Each structure stands twice: as C-alpha cells, then as structure tokens.
Amino acid sequence: MTVNIKEVFKDITKKEVRSSSYLEGGISNDNYLFNDSYVLRVPKPNPEDAVSYSHEKNNYKLIEPLKISEKLLYLDEEHGFKITKYIHNTRFYEVINEEVMNSVAKMLKKLHTSNIKVPYGYKMFARLNSYKSKIDEKYYLNPVYEDKIIKEVQKIFPKEELTFCHNDLVRGNLLFRFNTSFIIDWENGAMNNPLFDLASFISENNLTGSQEEYFLKRYFGYKYSSLKRKRVDIFVAFEDVLFYYWAIAYFIDRREQIYLDIAKEKLERIKNNIN
C-alpha cells in the first residue's frame, strides 16, 4: 500500500506542510519530520501479531510523568500511524561510552521502579515460538543449545518481580541530549522481568564484557553481584536466540537486507557463546 505521508499528516493535524524530511534510524517503521516540530511514524507491514497499538497508546499515557520519552500527540490504534513532538537537539549515540551507559542505566532504573502496572505481558516465549513457526526448519538453531538456554531462562524468570519494561532497547530507540536521554517507541512496552531490558541494551548494542560490567554496576549499585551478572547473561543469550528468529522471520516477509544482517550478527554472538 502506497501512503502519501503529507496527506496523512495534514489529515491528522489539520496543519499545512511547510517542510518534511525522512528520519533515519527506524527498522520496523518509517519516520518523517514535519515542520521541524512533529514526527510522523508510518508502520511497515507487520508479520507478527504481538504488537498492539492500543497498548502502545496506553503506554505513552502511563510513562508521560516520567519524562523519559517523546510526547505523544496522536496514535491510530488500528493502523499504527503515530505523531509525536520532535525532541530537538538530540542524537543517537556514536560510540558506547560511560555517559551513554550511565544515562541508560538511570532511565531503566527510573522506569523499573515507577510502579507502572499494565494488564499485558511481553510473552517472550510465545513470541519465540511464533517467529519459528513462520520460517523453514533449515534456519533453526542447534536444538540442544536452544533448549538449554530456554530452560535456564524459565528457571530464573520468576526470581525477579515483574515490572513495566520497554523490551526493545536498540540504538534507534535511544536519544541523547547533553545530560538528558530518552527512550522512544513504546509499542513493545509490557510487563516483564526487568533483566530483559538490561539484556536488551547489552545484546542489541553489543556491549563488551567490561562495558556490561560497568553498565550493570551503575544499574544495580551496591546490590550488584556475580549472581546478578550471571542471570543477566542468561537473558542475553536468550535474546540473541529470540531476535535471531525475529530477524529471519522479518527477512523472509520483507526481503530487506537489514534483517539478514541482524540475523547474521545474532548468529555470530550465539556461536561465540556456544564456543
């Protein structure tokens, strides 16, 4: 389906288009800046059933007092068109450094201790099964390793109280401005074990071992321990498996190189973990 983004923007906002440009950074969506003030999200066709735009709209309402994200102005719960206020003078990180890790740890701690509760969960095991059901068995991972990781995660999953989590801490969802940072795009926000968010940042941003240590110490503070590090590492291993299958499923559906690149990156991390 071809979308006339200028007409979509005008129809929703009743404003004339003075300027528009494409914003880099989106993977599952296309984003456009209008009038140097508004960001319009146009979802790409979605091969999975897990995303709920009504949940996303509710998520934005709940996190607004935390001031850790962009301000939602409009969200079409049926088609996913979204308009948010553009956050000026922000950037994606260029390199992972102490400033980035400190900022993300602080934001996640604020989110996880906010006492936000929603009646829906992330359902990561169901998602994994859903992605696998959409691909040929030739893409399946080593079943012994995969089963081992799943069982380890299932064993430690109930050991942490569920909190409201973002669940998708890729580089494109993290914005930085001076000493302030923001987490954007909350379509995957749901109740989950908070270790999932920590592992998401580590896995999706390819933190080194020393960077992971630094990041986790900033998040946990005096409560940090080797046991917590081990549990996070188990979640990291699981997320590498989960998002390998996610990337393969999306590549088969969309035939876009970026998904194949992500799958190859996850597969390399999995092979290194096995070895």
Side-chain angles (χ1 to χ4, degrees):
M1 179 181 67
T2 302
V3 176
N4 186 319
I5 60 165
K6 292 184 179 181
E7 289 302 318
V8 170
F9 177 80
K10 289 170 62 176
D11 184 59
I12 292 173
T13 65
K14 312 304 180 188
K15 298 179 182 293
E16 290 300 316
V17 176
R18 301 192 306 275
S19 63
S20 64
S21 59
Y22 184 77
L23 291 175
E24 300 293 336
I27 297 178
S28 298
N29 308 291
D30 288 317
N31 297 284
Y32 303 87
L33 175 62
F34 282 89
N35 300 347
D36 198 37
S37 297
Y38 308 97
V39 177
L40 168 65
R41 178 188 72 187
V42 179
K44 296 178 181 179
N46 198 325
E48 61 176 305
D49 306 319
V51 173
S52 167
Y53 295 122
S54 62
H55 288 174
E56 182 183 15
K57 187 174 183 178
N58 184 53
N59 293 343
Y60 271 99
K61 179 181 178 180
L62 293 172
I63 65 168
E64 186 171 2
L66 302 181
K67 300 186 184 304
I68 60 172
S69 188
E70 78 268 59
K71 182 176 178 57
L72 178 70
L73 301 177
Y74 173 86
L75 203 160
D76 180 343
E77 296 181 33
E78 181 179 358
H79 301 104
F81 294 117
K82 180 181 74 174
I83 294 181
T84 55
K85 284 287 291 182
Y86 179 58
I87 309 175
H88 286 88
N89 301 316
T90 55
R91 58 180 172 81
F92 299 121
Y93 72 80
E94 295 180 4
V95 294
I96 291 285
N97 55 29
E98 291 184 0
E99 177 190 3
V100 169
M101 291 185 285
N102 280 328
S103 185
V104 174
K106 182 179 178 180
M107 280 194 298
L108 290 181
K109 193 70 175 180
K110 187 174 186 179
L111 176 65
H112 295 161
T113 59
S114 66
N115 204 36
I116 292 174
K117 306 290 184 184
V118 294
Y120 39 89
Y122 183 71
K123 300 179 180 178
M124 60 187 192
F125 302 113
R127 286 174 182 249
L128 187 151
N129 291 332
S130 176
Y131 301 147
K132 287 186 69 174
S133 72
K134 293 176 170 61
I135 67 177
D136 193 278
E137 290 186 9
K138 68 181 181 180
Y139 294 109
Y140 283 11
L141 298 171
N142 181 312
V144 176
Y145 172 78
E146 183 179 326
D147 186 59
K148 174 178 176 287
I149 295 301
I150 291 173
K151 286 181 177 178
E152 287 181 350
V153 171
Q154 290 174 332
K155 182 178 179 180
I156 66 173
F157 186 87
K159 296 185 183 296
E160 305 280 343
E161 182 180 356
L162 297 186
T163 64
F164 184 69
C165 295
H166 182 274
N167 299 309
D168 190 22
L169 293 167
V170 297
R171 178 179 180 272
N173 286 339
L174 301 169
L175 294 176
F176 300 88
R177 182 177 65 192
F178 306 117
N179 295 323
T180 308
S181 52
F182 306 90
I183 308 175
I184 63 173
D185 290 342
W186 290 82
E187 61 261 47
N188 288 297
M191 301 302 289
N192 201 354
N193 185 308
L195 301 186
F196 190 96
D197 267 351
L198 303 180
S200 177
F201 178 65
I202 293 166
S203 171
E204 298 296 347
N205 298 279
N206 286 312
L207 267 62
T208 65
S210 60
Q211 287 175 331
E212 178 183 351
E213 183 90 0
Y214 181 91
F215 169 66
L216 294 179
K217 284 181 176 179
R218 292 304 174 276
Y219 177 87
F220 287 112
Y222 72 92
K223 294 183 178 180
Y224 177 73
S225 66
S226 59
L227 177 60
K228 290 187 182 296
R229 168 73 182 262
K230 182 178 179 181
R231 288 178 176 175
V232 171
D233 283 343
I234 292 171
F235 269 83
V236 170
F238 174 82
E239 290 187 41
D240 287 338
V241 171
L242 175 67
F243 290 109
Y244 162 78
Y245 284 125
W246 172 86
I248 292 294
Y250 269 70
F251 173 72
I252 290 173
D253 183 78
R254 296 180 178 177
R255 294 295 169 180
E256 295 179 19
Q257 182 64 35
I258 188 170
Y259 297 107
L260 188 58
D261 292 341
I262 292 171
K264 290 179 179 178
E265 180 181 283
K266 297 302 181 186
L267 186 59
E268 188 63 28
R269 287 175 56 91
I270 291 167
K271 288 180 178 178
N272 290 337
N273 200 32
I274 293 175
N275 297 332

